[in-house]
Amino acid sequence: MAKEKKNSYYGTGHRKTSIAKVTLTPGTGKITVNGRDVEEYFPSKICVMDLSQPLELTNTKEMFDVDAKVKGGGYTGQTGAIRHGITKALLEYDSTTPADSENSYRKILKAAGFITRDPRKKERKKPGLKKARRAPQFSKR
């Protein structure tokens, strides 16, 4: 699952076909994705805002540097995978706090719906159809 190594916390996140390996290390709040700054890697500010939500909810945005290695999928899937990975790493960091405590990260992140992996994937194409559900145009004559 998640492992601790030299004062860093690790989490793996998944979304659609994207997989993100996230490492949290104590720092100033710098986020890097595949060796590049997050603002440079993602084209829109919404993606950046979306992936940093777990850090903002737990008030740890300035406490950790985030290093994410992500592959597969598009920007939306990669953003969701990084967010899921950050959530898992934060749970590893806060593993000593009891889960039923008011201040536990688990309780905060669970209420926001970040712990659960989004299971939705692209539906497969069916024989005789153009796409998963799109049928050829019907012609009466």
Side-chain angles (χ1 to χ4, degrees):
M1 181 118 162
K3 53 188 171 186
E4 186 179 338
K5 189 168 130 182
K6 284 189 189 172
N7 210 15
S8 64
Y9 305 93
Y10 178 79
T12 304
H14 296 81
R15 171 79 167 91
K16 292 187 176 181
T17 57
S18 301
I19 301 169
K21 296 175 182 177
V22 178
T23 308
L24 293 182
T25 50
T28 58
K30 186 177 178 213
I31 301 174
T32 56
V33 179
N34 290 346
R36 292 163 49 192
D37 186 53
V38 70
E39 305 283 340
E40 179 186 321
Y41 186 82
F42 288 113
S44 90
K45 302 279 184 206
I46 295 169
C47 291
V48 177
M49 186 183 70
D50 190 32
L51 70 85
S52 61
Q53 281 179 330
L55 296 169
E56 289 170 3
L57 274 176
T58 56
N59 297 320
T60 54
K61 193 167 177 110
E62 306 297 320
M63 277 177 55
F64 293 111
D65 285 341
V66 178
D67 182 36
K69 304 281 187 249
V70 65
K71 61 182 179 180
Y75 291 124
T76 305
Q78 288 185 352
T79 302
I82 293 170
R83 184 174 76 176
H84 193 225
I86 290 171
T87 301
K88 284 186 166 182
L90 284 171
L91 291 178
E92 181 65 23
Y93 166 72
D94 195 48
S95 61
T96 56
T97 307
D100 57 346
S101 164
E102 280 295 316
N103 300 349
S104 77
Y105 288 173
R106 177 171 268 298
K107 194 167 197 164
I108 295 166
L109 294 168
K110 183 77 172 170
F114 295 152
I115 294 177
T116 309
R117 182 217 191 279
D118 193 342
R120 295 176 294 172
K121 288 194 172 190
K122 185 170 179 166
E123 194 174 334
R124 79 174 199 82
K125 183 192 174 301
K126 315 298 186 310
L129 300 181
K130 291 180 179 276
K131 292 168 65 177
R133 298 184 184 206
R134 170 73 172 105
Q137 185 174 0
F138 175 75
S139 172
K140 197 169 198 175
R141 285 175 196 88

